[in-house]
Amino acid sequence: MSLNSIVNQFGRILTNRLMNWGINKGIDVASRRGSKPDAPMTPQQRKQAQANREAVKRARKAAQLVRRMGR
């Protein structure tokens, strides 16, 4: 393996990890925000946001499982 391919592989891994991190942070921020950015969330909104985060977590686990089965 040449040095160029090793650097490219490392760059792809790093880029994918950073992209996933940014997307996850954006989803978390969007799900925690109320109807107005500075307004506190109502208990019902907080419960819905928690349910959304759990659904996202289950979807990520399912996608990871499918990727493992594809190997």
Side-chain angles (χ1 to χ4, degrees), residues 4-18:
N4 190 31
S5 63
I6 293 172
V7 170
N8 285 338
Q9 185 177 10
F10 178 74
R12 277 194 308 273
I13 291 170
L14 182 64
T15 303
N16 286 338
R17 294 259 172 114
L18 289 173

Side-chain angles (χ1 to χ4, degrees), residues 52-65:
N52 288 342
R53 284 194 298 274
E54 289 174 3
V56 168
K57 198 180 292 186
R58 283 193 301 272
R60 285 185 193 135
K61 285 189 181 262
Q64 185 179 22
L65 181 65

Side-chain angles (χ1 to χ4, degrees), residues 22 24 37-38 45 55 62 70:
N24 291 339
D38 57 347
Q45 288 174 326

Side-chain angles (χ1 to χ4, degrees), residues 29-41:
V29 167
S31 69
R32 286 190 176 102
R33 185 169 37 191
S35 58
K36 296 179 183 175
D38 57 347
M41 293 176 73

